[in-house]
Amino acid sequence: MRKYIIHSIFLFAIIAIIISCQNQETIDLQNYMSNGKDIYKTRCQNCHGENGEGLGKLAPPLTDSVFLKNNKTRLACIIRNGTNEKMTINGKEYQEKMPAFPELADIDVAQVMVYITNSFGNNQGFVPYNKVSIHLQNCK
Amino acid sequence: MNKIISSIAICLLSIAILSSCKQDKKLPFYGERHAETVRDAAGVEKIDTVYQTIPNWAFLNQDSVLTTNKATDGKVYIADFFFTSCSTICPTMHRNLMTVYNEFKTNPEVMFVSHTIDFKYDKPSVLKKYAQKLGVDGKKWQFLYGSKDSVYTLAEKNYLVAVGEDSTAKDGYIHQGYLVLIDKDRRIRGAYDGTKEDQVEQLKKDIPVLLAEYKK
């Protein structure tokens, strides 16, 4: 009986830890989302639009979840360094120069990336900034 | 009984008088003005106000065709200054201006004129690509290329929009995001911040008011 109680307490503790971990992640996500939104408004919205709808064929929309998922490790690099590569987004081809944002720190890039990948109908969850830092170190 | 009828009559009469006094809404005139003595059709001298007008101009448009003020003469048009590689205010300006364009697409009395201030890079072929990618086709919206002198003078002296080169700015140029409303007689009748949605909404309301001035 005593063993049984100890076991259940142990199990309970582990469950509690897991739940509290998730809570911390949820808090982080909310944090990133609100800071990311501010960065998005000042740096991204003028081209990509308030709802990520893009601008004609000049700026692609940010609503292509499949593209965002397939390029998960590249997103941070595109945000920091800009791009002029040809991309196919929502079935349409885009080739315009996106400016670089070298002034954004790793944490800023992470926050705006998390905001974009969890807004406009995207739902790709949380990415911590140390992971984003690794992505940024490996930019081509 | 008679008293009631007469008081109602007085009420109606005063309403009629008041409403007839109401003037039609008119847009203001911008820029400098001076008084001039002119002769009217009957040859009688009178004093008239002369407002600032946009002078003659000639630029290459997005199809590399020499375009002059003849394209906009007799029309109400909206002018702005931008450049294609601008990543700050221009996309927002043109996103908002697109909604105006779409609303007045079928109105032959309304035109759009965008001057590039990037005389180094924005050649007509670049403007053409930009227009196509923005989703603009045809002659209703002209994208104009000209020398630095001609465009910058036109902007600052005539349209009253500040433009300039600035090596410290992110994209190399700075400019104001005004959408300037010009009437059929080349006078400035409004200036709206193209980056602010409420001002662009006001522009959409003011265009019909301006057109109505010419309907009489």
Side-chain angles (χ1 to χ4, degrees), chain A residues 8 24 30 32 34 37 40 58 109 121:
Chain A
S8 57
Q24 185 55 47
Q30 284 167 352
Y32 277 42
S34 83
K37 188 174 184 175
Y40 183 82
L58 291 166
V109 174

Side-chain angles (χ1 to χ4, degrees), chain A residues 43 45-50 53-58 95-96 99-103, chain B residues 84 86-92 94-95 98 129-130 132-135 170-171 197:
Chain A
R43 319 265 169 170
Q45 184 169 305
N46 45 6
C47 292
H48 292 289
E50 197 180 346
E53 72 271 25
L55 176 59
K57 290 201 79 188
L58 291 166
Q95 184 161 28
E96 273 298 309
F101 295 91
E103 69 276 20
Chain B
T84 62
C86 162
S87 60
T88 52
I89 63 170
C90 313
T92 314
H94 279 174
R95 179 195 307 281
M98 267 309 269
K129 264 190 203 145
Y130 178 86
Q132 282 173 334
K133 287 184 173 176
L134 189 65
K170 183 163 187 174
D171 302 312
E197 257 170 62

